[in-house]
Amino acid sequence: MQQPLAYLVQSAERYCEQNRQRLTPNRRDVLAILVDSHMPMSAYDILDAMRSKQPSVKPPTIYRALKFLQDAKLVHSIESTNQFLVCSHLEHPHQPQLLVCQVCGRVEEIPLSEHMQAHLNESAKEHGFHLIHHAIELHGICQNCQ
Amino acid sequence: MQQPLAYLVQSAERYCEQNRQRLTPNRRDVLAILVDSHMPMSAYDILDAMRSKQPSVKPPTIYRALKFLQDAKLVHSIESTNQFLVCSHLEHPHQPQLLVCQVCGRVEEIPLSEHMQAHLNESAKEHGFHLIHHAIELHGICQNCQ
DNA sequence: TTAGGTAGTGTAATAACATAACGGTTTATG
DNA sequence: CATAAACCGTTATGTTATTACACTACCTAA
């Protein structure tokens, strides 16, 4: 379910090559922290984790790294909980659909079906709306917590 | 597109009767402010508007009223922008789908098609997920802004 | 090789969003 | 009128996110 760090790093490096950017220590550390946690984390959760090794880190450092990781499609943001999550479907381009458990706080990412994607595009088109990206977040109770 | 206040108030009163609650001045004022704005507003936007007539109002008052209005299905929250919006489809029960314009900031609410609804339920079911509610927010550029 | 541009960083300050906790008031109902 | 539930005001604080500015690191082309 969870991508290994090495694979994510590889993907990050590819992104960097294509965009004149660099996978710096800050960015790598934030990614590693998110991978290690196996849970969605808030920016301040990440900040706390960073501080255990580098006490002077401040919020903008985290938000900048998260921005990079989101642009590189390695991390998704969860709008309804203000958290961040490592992408679990790097293998193909996708828009995420998130299943957010209200009990344990875990979030499962599932790829949005092509059918759904088509429907969303269709409904946007009907309203003359130029669609750029979307957030689809389902809240409920996961299998484990039932 | 926008519901008239009278209709919303009527609907609020029906909700109150059924739930031993009251449409108090605070709640009515917050609703009226949202209706008047014709735009999504943040809680603090609403707070500022309230203060022009009642300078001592504080954040909890707004958040409480918003909670009531959301429970009564008169107002939707927009997770990705931390804003609130008067519901524009009171006529039938629905889960909202929101089209958020990145240029003008306006948000159009469209009813989620039954087809989409069915698909979402299906995908939740496949993953053993007990679905309670969802947020579907499409970001892009609206017709006016293109 | 060095000048200049872009990417990236550190830091302080603050903005923006949201809730906890408390004690008191209002309202409906028996 | 006694009671319980809903509602409110207020203080304080917690949480999330950004602005702004000065600086450093790195790449590339003259």
Side-chain angles (χ1 to χ4, degrees):
Chain A
M1 208 81 277
Q2 163 105 39
Q3 306 287 333
L5 181 56
Y7 185 35
L8 291 157
V9 165
Q10 198 181 343
S11 182
E13 283 166 346
R14 194 175 331 118
Y15 171 81
C16 287
E17 279 171 27
Q18 290 165 0
N19 293 274
R20 294 210 201 109
Q21 300 192 27
R22 276 167 291 148
L23 183 60
T24 60
N26 278 342
R27 291 166 176 180
R28 190 186 292 256
D29 289 350
V30 167
L31 182 58
I33 285 167
L34 264 176
V35 169
D36 280 355
S37 89
H38 296 276
M39 286 279 289
M41 297 179 84
S42 76
Y44 280 73
D45 291 338
I46 297 170
L47 184 62
D48 288 344
M50 283 283 265
R51 280 181 168 158
S52 70
K53 296 208 165 183
Q54 196 188 339
S56 70
V57 177
K58 302 196 169 38
T61 300
I62 309 301
Y63 284 102
R64 284 166 183 159
L66 286 169
K67 171 78 162 55
F68 168 87
L69 295 167
Q70 288 176 263
D71 289 347
K73 314 280 189 200
L74 303 177
V75 164
H76 299 300
S77 79
I78 310 169
E79 302 290 353
S80 49
T81 61
N82 299 308
Q83 288 177 313
F84 302 87
L85 180 71
V86 173
C87 173
S88 31
H89 296 280
L90 281 188
E91 61 282 2
H92 42 69
H94 69 292
Q95 298 262 23
Q97 175 181 341
L98 302 177
L99 305 180
V100 182
C101 179
Q102 291 176 347
V103 176
C104 66
R106 284 175 199 279
V107 176
E108 183 174 3
E109 177 192 349
I110 64 185
L112 193 61
S113 73
E114 287 184 22
H115 200 103
M116 280 273 286
Q117 181 84 49
H119 254 275
L120 289 173
N121 289 338
E122 182 66 23
S123 68
K125 199 169 178 180
E126 273 174 24
H127 291 80
F129 189 82
H130 173 60
L131 181 56
I132 294 174
H133 80 276
H134 58 237
I136 300 191
E137 302 181 6
L138 277 48
H139 287 247
I141 303 177
C142 75
Q143 201 153 31
N144 277 340
C145 290
Q146 282 167 29
Chain B
M1 207 81 278
Q2 163 105 39
Q3 306 288 332
L5 181 56
Y7 185 35
L8 290 157
V9 165
Q10 197 181 342
S11 182
E13 283 166 345
R14 195 175 329 119
Y15 171 81
C16 287
E17 279 171 27
Q18 290 165 0
N19 292 274
R20 291 211 202 108
Q21 299 192 31
R22 277 166 292 149
L23 183 61
T24 61
N26 278 341
R27 292 166 176 180
R28 191 186 289 257
D29 288 350
V30 167
L31 182 57
I33 285 167
L34 264 176
V35 169
D36 280 355
S37 89
H38 296 275
M39 286 280 286
M41 297 179 85
S42 75
Y44 280 72
D45 291 340
I46 297 169
L47 184 63
D48 288 343
M50 283 285 263
R51 281 182 167 157
S52 71
K53 295 209 166 181
Q54 195 187 339
S56 70
V57 177
K58 298 189 171 42
T61 300
I62 309 301
Y63 283 102
R64 285 166 181 159
L66 286 170
K67 171 77 162 56
F68 168 87
L69 294 168
Q70 287 176 264
D71 289 346
K73 313 280 188 200
L74 303 176
V75 164
H76 298 299
S77 79
I78 309 169
E79 303 289 353
S80 50
T81 60
N82 301 309
Q83 288 177 312
F84 301 87
L85 180 71
V86 173
C87 173
S88 31
H89 296 279
L90 281 189
E91 59 282 2
H92 42 69
H94 69 292
Q95 299 261 23
Q97 176 181 341
L98 303 176
L99 305 180
V100 182
C101 179
Q102 292 176 347
V103 176
C104 66
R106 284 174 198 280
V107 175
E108 183 174 3
E109 178 192 348
I110 63 184
L112 193 60
S113 73
E114 287 184 23
H115 201 102
M116 281 270 285
Q117 182 83 48
H119 252 275
L120 289 173
N121 289 338
E122 182 65 24
S123 68
K125 199 169 179 180
E126 273 174 25
H127 291 79
F129 189 81
H130 173 60
L131 181 56
I132 294 174
H133 80 276
H134 57 238
I136 300 190
E137 301 181 5
L138 276 48
H139 288 247
I141 304 176
C142 75
Q143 200 152 32
N144 277 340
C145 291
Q146 283 166 29

